[in-house]
Amino acid sequence: MARYLFHRLWQSALTLVLASIIVFIGVRALPGDPALAMAGEEADPATVAAVRAELGLDESIVVQYLKFMGNAVVGDFGKSIRTGTPVSEMLGATLPVTIQLAIYAMLIALLLGLATGVVAAVFRGRWPEWTANGFSLFALSVPTFWLGILAVLYLSVQLGWFPASGYVSPFEHPLRGVYYLTLPALILGLTHAAVVQRQTRSSMVETLTADFVRTARAKGLGRAAVIFRIGLRNSLIVVTTIVGLQLGGLIAGAVVTERIFSLPGIGKLTLDSVFTRDYPVIQAVVLVITAAYIVINLLVDFLYTVIDPRMRVSGRTS
Amino acid sequence: MTEPLLEVTDLQVSFGDVPAVRGAGLRLMPGERVAVVGASGSGKSTTAHAVMGLLPGAGRVTGGRISFRGEDITHAGEKRLCALRGRQIGLVPQDPMSNLNPVARIGRQVAETLVAHGLASRREAKDRAVEILAEAGLPDPGRRARQYPHEFSGGMRQRVLIAIGLACRPDLLIADEPTSALDVTVQRQILDHLEKLTQDLGTALLLVTHDLGLAADRADHVVVMSEGKVVEAGPARQILTAPDHDYTKRLVAAAPSLTTTPPRDRRTAEPVLEVVGVSKEYRIRGGGGALRAADDVSFTVQRGQTTAIVGESGSGKTTTAHMVLGLVTPTAGTIRLNGTDGTRRGRRRAMQAVFQDPYGSLDPMFTVERLITEPLRIFGIGDRASRRARVSQLLDQVGLSPAMAQRYPNELSGGQRQRVAIARALAPEPRLVVCDEAVSALDVLVQDQILRLLENLQRELGLSYLFISHDLAVVRSIAHDVVVMRGGRVVEQGPVGQVLDSPADPYTRQLLDAIPGATVFS
């Protein structure tokens, strides 16, 4: 097990290094000169050269990369071209918002998706399944931005149930914080709930017809025990894969949701810095998102070993 | 007179509009052992599941009556059935590989049923489960109870399933083909143990099986089912030795384990295939070391004759067959196929295979014609018209109507599919046909038909077979020479009559003794 763990960690580190190279080169391949952008279109060549030297852009790309990575390892991503604030500070302010939103949205997606998925599988061919399938079809086909705008219009502006925008840190005001995040998380989680629902349904339908489920019933186990302890438990193996893949997508989805609800998260930061060509920020944000993907994947892989004993790699075999 | 434990009268079960059971009846007294025998689709398993209220999907009881200890449970509610299942009626299901929950520890799967019936608290159930597993013959039960199903062999899993079935001391145990997926020697151990347990506990046994010999060995009473109906019932010995109904007669005649070896003439002595000192080693991942899947295997196949390789799982028989076919490269030794140009392509053409699973070995997207002509197209034999004519000829040879050429595999029965597989193997006119468990997945009557077909084709076309099987009884009825393998090595080989009638090796003896029904006629 320890060997496997070490192997996976090593692999992840390697992936992260490769990703950072791609990001670094990718950002530099963008058209336009950051030094020129920073110094202004009207600046004379000497000023531009000075700015370039200050940004370290006059050195070879290899040296630039090594410097960037050397600093990044200790959490220094340079300074924003736009505001002059250290990028790490900007990330520190926005990242927690996005993480909260993503986790909250995922919880909603899991709750909604698993519940409707189980209902659809258990009541196959009857109205609860049609309702659950109708829900997932709706949630999958309606674009998030449109649903978000509608939700703000009706649920916030007209009915006043939820705040239309804004963010309160749940660490300072737990209840208010959660309340402010609820509508964005719901909107963001809905599509993912639909995917979880479909996956849970098909996986449950398959599991419930498995031989070991019949054996469990033959033991005299009640309906609930068969559905949840045996059926759902086995279906989770497939659902976990999907949830892992989706968590990555959730961060991308957060960009749109944060925009609609004016949340000061990493999505908003990305948009703002892309519009202003704030290269150090874009670079850092992409790198952080990549790292998040890798960490989530790693977590999912370890989660497998918890959920499915067959995945436990060990020397102990019969 | 005591009340019967289980009485099924004129049971009718349908799946949607399709009737599966059309008038099944049987009666089981306390402590009695009754076997229900029939081919697949005869409704024997459906009857057993109906008793427990475990019909799958759209299955419904549409008529008749099931009574357990005088109580009508034909349409009992789920709550009543939950109380009966496991507690009063236990089940040992068919396939040990798929019947245990893969994500729960073995001990818990046994304990579950005790807790569900209120026979033990969660904590007590844990210890009780270990005792029950020990009783079922599981070695080192304390440690094993903490393991998961994938850490168990098939035989050990079946012991666990027996433990679960008997955990609550039910009055009736339904065993649905409890050992069909196991090797004969393991099968024997498990059945012996099951017999002892049910006897000690006074449990009545309803044994569902396709194997007449097994039924005769293990039951007092035999009920023969065909096409959803009971065709004959009576004391086991009587059914086997003096069957009354026509279907039973055919079944008894076809059962390979119940017939004696017909003498085989051996005229030619011209080897087609010579395997000399062949070995295959696999490196074991992670742990180092090597696994010898086949170890210094030598044998020959004579022209127009059949050599059978027989052994249990892990004996190396399939590895050997794959090496002969060129699908696996041997680590050492030589394989000579006489009369070919020695190229790989030439060898492939001269050697064709028929595999075990007729459902898995035919591409479901191909028509029968396309399936059969595929090897012809690959080897560039004939043109379109001649290939079409060849398909008709081949279908005729394997006893299928030429009209079947345009059908798809899913429109054929298991036996028909295996005939198509044979036709495909014969298409490029091979010298050697390798049959890898080619009749193992088939019902007794169909199996017998396919064996006779293979025999006739051999006589007509002078074919040579390398016949891989785990079933000594089948081997006895088709082979001229037999090679007995165990753990990758050949333990004994020679003419069938000699090896099977006076085996020199104790392992061969053991295999022969394990054939169910062997004792009925002796």
Side-chain angles (χ1 to χ4, degrees):
Chain A
M1 194 72 203
R3 240 181 82 174
Y4 173 70
L5 199 105
F6 179 77
H7 181 69
R8 285 307 318 263
L9 283 174
W10 160 244
Q11 265 186 344
S12 302
L14 196 70
T15 315
L16 194 58
V17 169
L18 285 175
S20 70
I21 293 175
I22 293 168
V23 170
F24 194 80
I25 294 173
V27 168
R28 265 144 199 80
L30 288 175
D33 183 349
L36 196 66
M38 201 173 160
E41 297 286 335
E42 310 293 306
D44 60 284
T47 319
V48 173
V51 172
R52 185 169 289 137
E54 196 196 320
L55 292 174
L57 294 175
D58 53 347
E59 288 176 276
S60 83
I61 191 142
V62 177
V63 174
Q64 281 186 50
Y65 172 75
L66 290 178
K67 275 191 175 165
F68 163 71
M69 276 310 276
N71 291 332
V73 166
V74 294
D76 177 8
F77 292 100
K79 281 181 185 152
S80 161
I81 294 177
R82 183 163 51 104
T83 61
T85 338
V87 176
S88 53
E89 246 172 61
M90 297 169 85
L91 282 176
T94 53
L95 198 56
V97 179
T98 305
I99 290 175
Q100 285 157 21
L101 179 65
I103 290 176
Y104 195 3
M106 203 66 231
L107 283 178
I108 290 176
L110 278 175
L111 221 65
L112 265 176
L114 286 176
T116 53
V118 169
V119 165
V122 172
F123 298 95
R124 200 141 70 101
R126 283 184 275 163
W127 67 264
E129 188 198 10
W130 303 330
T131 314
N133 286 355
F135 154 73
S136 72
L137 186 66
F138 168 80
L140 273 178
S141 38
V142 176
T144 309
F145 67 88
W146 188 69
L147 201 63
I149 293 166
L150 282 189
V152 169
L153 266 177
Y154 290 100
L155 298 182
S156 304
V157 178
Q158 248 180 35
L159 295 169
W161 291 356
F162 295 99
S165 67
Y167 170 78
V168 174
S169 167
F171 295 108
E172 285 160 30
H173 307 277
L175 279 180
R176 272 180 72 78
V178 170
Y179 176 57
Y180 266 78
L181 270 179
T182 298
L183 198 56
L186 191 69
I187 297 300
L188 179 56
L190 217 53
T191 323
H192 299 276
V195 179
V196 173
Q197 189 266 355
R198 302 233 143 174
Q199 213 43 252
T200 308
R201 193 199 76 93
S202 64
S203 178
M204 274 289 272
V205 164
E206 205 184 305
T207 312
L208 288 179
T209 53
D211 283 346
F212 58 83
V213 167
R214 191 189 55 208
T215 305
R217 292 181 63 202
K219 286 193 235 175
L221 258 57
R223 206 169 142 81
V226 169
I227 291 170
F228 293 103
R229 257 201 349 245
I230 310 219
L232 187 59
R233 178 72 171 69
N234 275 283
S235 305
L236 280 183
I237 298 167
V238 181
V239 174
T240 307
T241 315
I242 300 301
V243 170
L245 291 172
Q246 281 190 304
L247 266 169
L250 218 54
I251 299 173
V255 174
V256 177
T257 314
E258 283 171 8
R259 181 89 187 158
I260 295 168
F261 292 94
S262 317
L263 291 175
I266 207 166
K268 194 166 169 296
L269 181 67
T270 313
L271 277 185
D272 291 346
S273 42
V274 166
F275 287 140
T276 54
R277 288 193 189 164
D278 200 342
Y279 296 126
V281 180
I282 300 173
Q283 205 164 276
V285 164
V286 177
L287 201 60
V288 164
I289 291 177
T290 312
Y293 258 96
I294 291 170
V295 169
I296 289 164
N297 260 305
L298 203 60
L299 283 178
V300 167
D301 278 357
F302 286 118
L303 203 57
Y304 275 143
T305 64
V306 175
I307 293 176
D308 190 349
R310 286 164 293 188
M311 303 283 282
R312 275 167 222 174
V313 189
S314 69
R316 184 176 53 106
T317 47
S318 57
Chain B
M1 190 192 139
T2 47
E3 191 182 37
L5 184 66
L6 176 73
E7 196 164 18
V8 176
T9 26
D10 194 32
L11 183 72
Q12 323 262 342
V13 179
S14 295
F15 289 93
D17 297 329
V18 187
V21 177
R22 308 181 271 195
L26 58 94
R27 168 198 279 239
L28 210 82
M29 301 307 282
E32 199 187 16
R33 298 174 306 167
V34 171
V36 183
V37 182
S40 48
S42 64
K44 56 184 194 304
S45 285
T46 307
T47 304
H49 289 145
V51 169
M52 295 193 81
L54 288 177
L55 290 172
R60 296 278 175 277
V61 175
T62 51
R65 189 182 136 98
I66 303 166
S67 72
F68 183 74
R69 277 224 196 87
E71 177 194 348
D72 185 352
I73 57 163
T74 324
H75 298 286
E78 186 67 17
K79 206 171 163 200
R80 177 72 191 122
L81 285 171
C82 268
L84 282 176
R85 288 184 202 134
R87 182 68 188 91
Q88 314 264 351
I89 308 174
L91 174 75
V92 178
Q94 177 166 12
D95 181 1
M97 291 314 183
S98 64
N99 271 293
L100 287 167
N101 182 358
V103 301
R105 290 178 204 273
I106 293 296
R108 198 182 125 178
Q109 300 198 39
V110 180
E112 238 168 14
T113 176
L114 297 168
V115 176
H117 293 292
L119 295 180
S121 69
R122 254 168 222 292
R123 188 166 307 172
E124 291 160 6
K126 220 173 171 181
D127 298 331
R128 189 75 194 98
V130 175
E131 287 168 35
I132 292 167
L133 285 169
E135 206 178 77
L138 196 74
D140 198 4
R143 184 176 64 88
R144 291 300 227 157
R146 289 192 301 275
Q147 293 186 332
Y148 289 93
H150 69 274
E151 297 170 84
F152 282 60
S153 69
M156 286 300 141
R157 290 185 203 206
Q158 199 60 45
R159 284 180 192 272
V160 172
L161 287 166
I162 289 173
I164 291 172
L166 289 172
C168 299
R169 307 292 180 238
D171 296 316
L172 170 63
L173 186 70
I174 298 178
D176 184 6
E177 303 268 11
T179 54
S180 308
L182 304 174
D183 283 330
V184 272
T185 50
V186 182
Q187 172 177 344
R188 190 182 192 196
Q189 287 166 18
I190 300 263
L191 287 172
D192 284 349
H193 202 83
L194 182 66
E195 195 168 291
K196 188 178 168 303
L197 279 177
T198 48
Q199 235 155 38
D200 291 352
L201 300 168
T203 316
L205 182 68
L206 183 66
L207 179 68
V208 177
T209 178
H210 68 280
D211 191 335
L212 256 181
L214 194 137
D217 268 0
R218 307 285 170 178
D220 313 314
H221 240 76
V222 171
V223 176
V224 182
M225 284 188 75
S226 170
E227 292 174 6
K229 290 194 203 82
V230 170
V231 295
E232 191 168 359
R237 188 164 285 266
Q238 184 196 316
I239 296 271
L240 263 90
T241 51
D244 196 38
H245 193 274
D246 194 44
Y247 178 77
T248 322
K249 282 182 188 161
R250 284 200 292 145
L251 211 56
V252 172
S257 59
L258 305 173
T259 47
T260 40
T261 334
R264 244 160 261 284
D265 52 335
R266 317 160 41 86
R267 278 162 309 192
T268 60
E270 179 200 339
V272 168
L273 176 77
E274 288 172 281
V275 175
V276 185
V278 161
S279 298
K280 177 67 193 177
E281 271 186 21
Y282 288 103
R283 249 201 303 279
I284 295 167
R285 214 153 55 129
L291 173 81
R292 292 205 147 214
D295 190 359
D296 194 20
V297 176
S298 303
F299 61 90
T300 53
V301 179
Q302 308 287 339
R303 195 158 73 89
Q305 295 190 8
T306 302
T307 296
I309 303 182
V310 62
E312 298 188 291
S313 35
S315 64
K317 58 184 192 302
T318 298
T319 305
T320 307
H322 285 179
M323 286 192 289
V324 168
L325 283 168
L327 299 174
V328 169
T329 319
T331 323
T334 54
I335 296 171
R336 241 193 325 277
L337 186 66
N338 296 327
T340 56
D341 54 8
T343 61
R344 206 165 83 146
R345 202 175 155 79
R347 286 231 313 264
R348 282 263 157 87
R349 181 175 167 177
M351 216 166 16
Q352 290 294 316
V354 179
F355 293 106
Q356 172 170 11
D357 180 9
Y359 293 84
S361 58
L362 300 177
D363 189 327
M365 307 298 280
F366 281 22
T367 60
V368 166
E369 179 174 289
R370 189 158 168 216
L371 282 165
I372 297 176
T373 53
E374 196 179 24
L376 299 177
R377 277 182 278 120
I378 289 170
F379 292 111
I381 304 166
D383 54 25
R384 194 178 281 254
S386 75
R387 280 181 209 149
R388 182 156 285 186
R390 179 89 174 113
V391 169
S392 297
Q393 185 198 355
L394 284 164
L395 285 175
D396 188 53
Q397 277 177 343
V398 298
L400 291 176
S401 141
M404 293 228 174
Q406 296 313 317
R407 296 223 197 144
Y408 287 91
N410 67 350
E411 300 170 295
L412 307 175
S413 70
Q416 287 173 332
R417 287 181 211 208
Q418 208 58 318
R419 284 173 194 267
V420 171
I422 293 170
R424 177 178 62 176
L426 296 182
E429 298 179 323
R431 295 171 62 83
L432 177 73
V433 177
V434 178
C435 304
D436 189 0
E437 298 277 10
V439 297
S440 307
L442 305 173
D443 280 323
V444 188
L445 288 177
V446 182
Q447 177 177 322
D448 188 53
Q449 288 164 9
I450 299 290
L451 286 172
R452 299 293 81 82
L453 171 69
L454 287 171
E455 238 171 26
N456 292 339
L457 289 170
Q458 181 165 61
R459 211 173 309 123
E460 285 163 25
L461 307 173
L463 287 170
S464 310
Y465 297 134
L466 178 61
F467 195 89
I468 314 295
S469 181
H470 69 284
D471 191 337
L472 271 177
V474 165
V475 166
R476 188 200 286 271
S477 79
I478 184 136
H480 298 82
D481 292 299
V482 62
V483 178
V484 182
M485 287 188 72
R486 183 191 199 184
R489 307 180 76 100
V490 175
V491 295
E492 185 168 4
Q493 62 177 311
V496 163
Q498 183 196 317
V499 172
L500 299 190
D501 292 338
S502 47
D505 192 89
Y507 177 67
T508 316
R509 178 83 263 160
Q510 208 185 323
L511 277 179
L512 281 166
D513 288 344
I515 300 176
T519 53
V520 173
F521 292 99
S522 56

